[in-house]
Structures are given as structure tokens and as C-alpha cells.
Amino acid sequence: MAGESDHSESRPNPNSGPVDVPRIEKLHKIEELGLDPWGGRFDGHQSVAAILEKPCVSFDENPTEVVRAAGRIVLRRNQGKVHFLQLWDQTGRIQIMMGQAQVGELGWKLAQLLDLGDLIGVEGVFGHTRKGEPTIRVSELTILSKSLEPHPEKYHGLSDIEYRLRHRYLDLIYTPETMERAKKRILILRTIRNYLDAQGYMEVETPVLHTIAGGAAARPFATHHNALDIPLVLRIALELHLKRLLVGGIEKVYEIGRVFRNEGISHKHNPEFTMMELYQAYGDYRSMMDLTEGLMVACVDALGGGREIPWGEKTVKFEPPFERAKYADLFLQHVGCSMDDPAACLEAAKKHRIDPTGKEHDVLVNDLFERCVEDNLVGPVFVYDYPAALCPLTKRKRENPAIAERFELYVHGMELANAYTELNDPITQEATFARQLAGLKDEDSMAKMDHEFVWALRHAMPPAGGLGIGMDRLIMLLTNTQSIRDVILFPLLRPER
């Protein structure tokens, strides 16, 4: 956690009133020294990690390696005419030593006005103390920004989860795991982009504001455009615009973007989340299985910890080929009856306390699958061939139209990916939409037909495979994080009172 602090520097509260008075006084004293307490350009500095990689000899041997570093003070220890500070940047921490003789009169006066949380720049000789601690012996001290609020204490730190989420900037500084997860998220997203780019996919951006919410069954966030005087919604999926691009001749296309669903919050759900969707002309759901498998393995390999990774008290082995299992076979195994037997499914629903009132048979089948099957899926396993009624945008199997060519990838009961052989028949698509719209409430995402999308299909969309992956859930799994709030830098929170 944070470094040492005087007792006046307790955990900060942004609603506690005026800023800490002694820090304001120090700010004015810095100004009186003729220095700018908000700093400026500081060229030529290296990261802490880069400095720590340099050869390091004892100060008794008079090292000559001069370095420059910039960062935040997270620990301090004053010993008369020598101050020991710990400087932090996003790559690590390093000790710095300031003596009155080395930094001069002005530098020494400035040193007395520093607090935990201040940003400083230093230049000095790099070596190690007699205790072997790598240290910068400072000869030049620069103030880069004065912290007017106290930072967390060493022993209390940021143990309050709610506080950490509301003050992510402090969490990144004082909780090393948070910074490490943020870096891994960036690495995973970069790996996905590099992998898809190498496969010939083109990354695009599509609209966030839609006139009709489509591509998924979810409740959208509604808004209004004043100049055009029209209602709009925030997108709930990326699908329908990407398919328009397939019609336009972009044969391999993907987007990584934010989507918004006006629904509940849980350890696996945030109303605003990151989705990756891609489409490949002339492919199908089996080609999407191969692509998904390669993509997952590439991400695991990029993290460098081997292909068997921890997930809570369990492990996941991402060694291809992944298991593949039919939806109907898993249903029979874990529910105990055929999904094609309505009477048996009703009995199973009663047994598992699922209310069947007003539910279509396939919806009841899916409820039973979620209740009885998903938690038994260790994986990674591709569950494929879903009931067609659950998949309005999916091509049916030619030999059995009741089954849709769809798969979902599961790991320890958590869905990570969803893929289809895409429906490119505009006549069937329009009829499917019409059946789904019947009786739906106006606020439902599918309550209006996207005629423009159907019109685009009428100009011939190539047969294609499509894939969607929730990035936040994937990052949860690959970083062994149990809550989605910990992999999103700024999750949605209830406002503070």
C-alpha cells in the first residue's frame, strides 16, 4: 500500500470540505521560492523500470551513471539533513535520497515542502546503498505538481472496495493488482487486434446512436437529438451495421466498441461494456470456432503464464483443440429429458421451480439449460446447434430447420463467445423479425423492425460466419478476476449521497 505518513494524512474524502490547509500553505511557500508548483515540461526522464535495469554499484565505489526520473512520492523518511523518498510511476518504485549538500539551498527548501502524493522530477547518480537498495542520489529536484489532498496512509491504504472504485486514480497508485490488470487488459485488446489484422480483418467504427435498437434482445438507453427532433437509442450490439459492410464488400470486418444495455448490475454485468464483433464472408459457425480457438490461445500466450491459468480455486487449460458438444446432448445429460419433448420439459421445469406460464417451448428449454447445464460446463467447450427459435439472426441447418447453426463458448459456466452462421436470406429474416415483434412492448429492443437492415440484405449479403465476444468477461477470466467492476476502469456506480 502507500508509504509512511504523518498522522494528519488520513484517507481523503472529496466531500469533506476545504482542501488540507497545511498543503495550501506549502503551495504558497513554493510560489514564494519563485517556483511553479504545477510544474511543466520535464524532458529526458526514464521509467523507473528502465532505471532499475541499469548496472548498479555501491555509492562507496563512486558510481557515475546519471539518471532522470519523474513520478509520485508514495513514501518518505526524513533523517535530519538527508531525506529518503520512494518515487512511483506506472512501471514501479525506486528510492531517492536527497541531501542538503547535493540539492543546494533552493532544492533543500523545496524538499521541506513536499508531501505524499506530490509529483516531482529528479536528476542524480544511480547506485545502491550499503543495504543494497537501488537509489537515485538527487542533485537536481523539480516540483511537477503539488497534491492538495492527502493520500492514503501506509497501514489503512485502500482496503474499502467501494472507495477504490470511486477513486480509481488512487486505486491505480496504491493497489498494484489494479495497475497490473489495466496493463493486461491493454495487452489482451492489442493481441486481439494484431491477431485479426494478421488474418486479414479490417477494423471499423460504426454508429453508437441508433434510431432502432437491434442485434440483440436487450433494453436500450433512450435519448433525443434536438436538432433533428428524433428519438434515438444507444446501441445494444454492433451486429447490424457490420453486416451492412459485408454487403458493401468488406469481406472480413470487426469492431471493438462500447455497447449499452439498460439492465441490472452484477459481478458479471455492467450497463456499459466492451464488445468485439466480427464477420467473415464465405465462412460459417465452424470457421468461427477455429478462429475463436486461435484468438483465445493467442491472448493466453501473450500473457506469458502458460496455457493452464487459474480461475478462483479452479484452473482452465487453453490447449487446443477445445471440446465441442451439442446443445441437445448436454440438455439430455443434465436435464434428464429430450429438449424436443414438451411434456417432459414441463415436468423438468416444475422440478427445478421454473415457472412455465406464458413461455414458448424453446424459451422454457433455454431456461432449463441455464439452470441445469451451464454451471456444469468446465470447458473451454463450444456448445453448438441451438434451438432455432432462440436465434433470429442465425441460419438454420438445412437438414433440420428447428436447429440454428450457433455456438457459445463456455468456461466454468461463464459464456465467453457467441457465434452464428449468419442468416443472409432477407425473406426469412423479415418473416423472423415479424414473428418476434408480435406482442412485444414498445420499450423492448426488438419492438421495431430495422427495415433498412432488411433492405440491405435484399442487395445480397454473402454467406458468412459471425462472432461476438464480451471483452470484459474475457479479461475477467484471463486475469483471474471475479468481478467485472475490477476490469473496467470506471464502472457505473450509484451516486454518492
Side-chain angles (χ1 to χ4, degrees):
M1 291 300 180
E4 293 180 6
S5 166
D6 57 55
H7 294 294
S8 67
E9 292 185 321
S10 59
R11 185 184 303 168
N13 180 352
N15 299 318
S16 61
V19 295
D20 189 74
V21 174
R23 289 179 180 244
I24 283 288
E25 291 179 359
K26 291 177 181 178
L27 175 79
H28 295 325
K29 288 180 179 180
I30 291 171
E31 291 174 327
E32 290 170 4
L33 293 175
L35 303 174
D36 182 355
W38 307 116
R41 183 169 174 169
F42 190 75
D43 289 337
H45 66 280
Q46 295 177 283
S47 70
V48 167
I51 292 171
L52 290 173
E53 289 178 355
K54 292 177 175 293
C56 187
V57 301
S58 170
F59 286 116
D60 291 336
E61 300 176 30
N62 296 316
T64 59
E65 179 78 34
V66 176
V67 298
R68 284 166 67 83
R72 190 179 297 275
I73 301 170
V74 292
L75 186 148
R76 65 182 183 192
R77 194 170 70 252
N78 299 344
Q79 296 181 348
K81 294 186 177 182
V82 178
H83 290 187
F84 287 93
L85 308 177
Q86 195 170 88
L87 198 68
W88 175 92
D89 73 8
Q90 66 179 9
T91 68
R93 299 183 178 207
I94 191 169
Q95 179 171 273
I96 65 173
M97 177 174 61
M98 290 189 293
Q100 184 173 3
Q102 286 77 35
V103 297
E105 182 180 355
L106 181 61
W108 190 245
K109 288 180 179 178
L110 174 59
Q112 313 313 305
L113 302 173
L114 297 177
D115 291 297
L116 287 181
D118 290 353
L119 292 167
I120 61 173
V122 298
E123 180 176 306
V125 174
F126 177 59
H128 67 74
T129 63
R130 290 177 180 176
K131 292 183 178 181
E133 179 72 21
T135 302
I136 302 173
R137 187 170 62 196
V138 179
S139 57
E140 181 182 316
L141 173 65
T142 305
I143 181 72
L144 295 177
S145 190
K146 182 68 181 170
S147 176
L148 298 184
E149 290 288 350
H151 280 233
E153 290 181 346
K154 179 178 181 180
Y155 297 108
H156 294 93
L158 290 173
S159 57
D160 187 297
I161 294 175
E162 184 79 6
Y163 188 89
R164 286 171 47 197
L165 294 173
R166 292 190 183 279
H167 306 87
R168 187 65 95 187
Y169 45 91
L170 294 174
D171 190 26
L172 286 164
I173 299 168
Y174 296 107
T175 310
E177 297 83 2
T178 300
M179 178 63 80
E180 188 62 25
R181 273 195 298 267
K183 291 179 180 179
K184 286 182 177 179
R185 181 186 181 104
I186 292 166
L187 175 59
I188 290 166
L189 292 173
R190 184 184 301 126
T191 299
I192 289 171
R193 285 187 164 96
N194 290 342
Y195 186 89
L196 294 176
D197 292 347
Q199 299 286 326
Y201 283 82
M202 298 174 63
E203 183 177 11
V204 298
E205 294 175 306
T206 61
V208 173
L209 291 172
H210 291 184
T211 54
I212 296 172
R219 187 170 185 172
F221 288 92
T223 185
H224 187 272
H225 190 279
N226 291 335
L228 295 178
D229 192 23
I230 57 172
L232 295 170
V233 294
L234 299 181
R235 66 185 178 189
I236 59 172
L238 310 176
E239 180 169 352
L240 301 187
H241 283 88
L242 293 177
K243 285 183 175 178
R244 287 168 166 86
L245 298 178
L246 280 182
V247 175
I250 302 180
E251 296 179 358
K252 289 184 173 183
V253 63
Y254 77 97
E255 181 174 8
I256 298 175
R258 295 295 239 188
V259 296
F260 309 85
R261 299 183 182 180
N262 197 352
E263 298 171 346
I265 298 175
S266 73
H267 72 286
K268 291 196 294 186
H269 296 91
N270 192 65
E272 176 184 5
F273 60 99
T274 302
M275 177 71 73
M276 188 278 292
E277 289 195 33
L278 64 82
Y279 296 89
Q280 177 184 331
Y282 316 119
D284 66 3
Y285 74 142
R286 293 188 181 276
S287 53
M288 291 297 100
M289 284 188 199
D290 296 335
L291 180 72
T292 305
E293 193 171 87
L295 194 59
M296 294 290 176
V297 171
C299 289
V300 172
D301 288 348
L303 294 174
R307 291 184 177 178
E308 187 167 347
I309 64 172
W311 174 242
E313 298 178 353
K314 307 169 185 175
T315 59
V316 186
K317 192 171 185 178
F318 282 95
E319 196 65 55
F322 297 169
E323 179 187 356
R324 303 185 181 194
K326 282 188 177 182
Y327 185 103
D329 294 342
L330 290 168
F331 190 94
L332 179 62
Q333 177 184 349
H334 295 287
V335 180
C337 65
S338 169
M339 70 176 192
D340 297 324
D341 187 337
C345 287
L346 279 172
E347 287 301 315
K350 293 176 184 177
K351 175 183 174 182
H352 294 285
R353 299 180 180 179
I354 297 173
D355 184 5
T357 306
K359 292 182 179 178
E360 296 288 340
H361 171 68
D362 285 324
V363 174
L364 186 62
V365 164
N366 193 59
D367 288 347
L368 283 165
F369 188 90
E370 290 178 351
R371 177 72 60 85
C372 304
V373 181
E374 288 184 358
D375 286 344
N376 292 296
L377 300 175
V378 177
V381 53
F382 291 114
V383 178
Y384 66 98
D385 286 358
Y386 276 62
L390 303 174
C391 318
L393 298 166
T394 312
K395 185 170 286 188
R396 278 68 173 136
K397 296 186 78 69
R398 184 176 294 275
E399 66 275 16
N400 184 3
I403 298 298
E405 294 190 351
R406 171 188 179 184
F407 78 74
E408 291 188 354
L409 176 66
Y410 282 90
V411 174
H412 287 300
M414 183 165 65
E415 176 210 335
L416 287 183
N418 185 21
Y420 305 149
T421 300
E422 299 299 334
L423 180 60
N424 63 335
D425 172 359
I427 299 172
T428 301
Q429 182 66 88
E430 188 167 16
T432 302
F433 276 160
R435 282 196 301 273
Q436 277 214 323
L437 298 179
L440 292 182
K441 298 179 180 179
D442 287 344
E443 67 267 20
D444 193 286
S445 69
M446 304 295 281
K448 296 179 181 178
M449 185 181 298
D450 191 335
H451 291 286
E452 289 187 9
F453 171 66
V454 175
W455 185 250
L457 288 188
R458 293 180 68 86
H459 292 80
M461 187 184 94
L467 169 67
I469 299 177
M471 293 289 97
D472 306 299
R473 286 193 184 181
L474 175 62
I475 292 161
M476 283 174 62
L477 177 69
L478 298 186
T479 60
N480 193 18
T481 304
Q482 303 302 309
S483 172
I484 195 171
R485 298 192 305 176
D486 286 328
V487 298
I488 297 175
L489 285 174
F490 300 101
L492 183 66
L493 301 169
R494 191 184 303 274
E496 283 188 292
R497 295 180 179 177

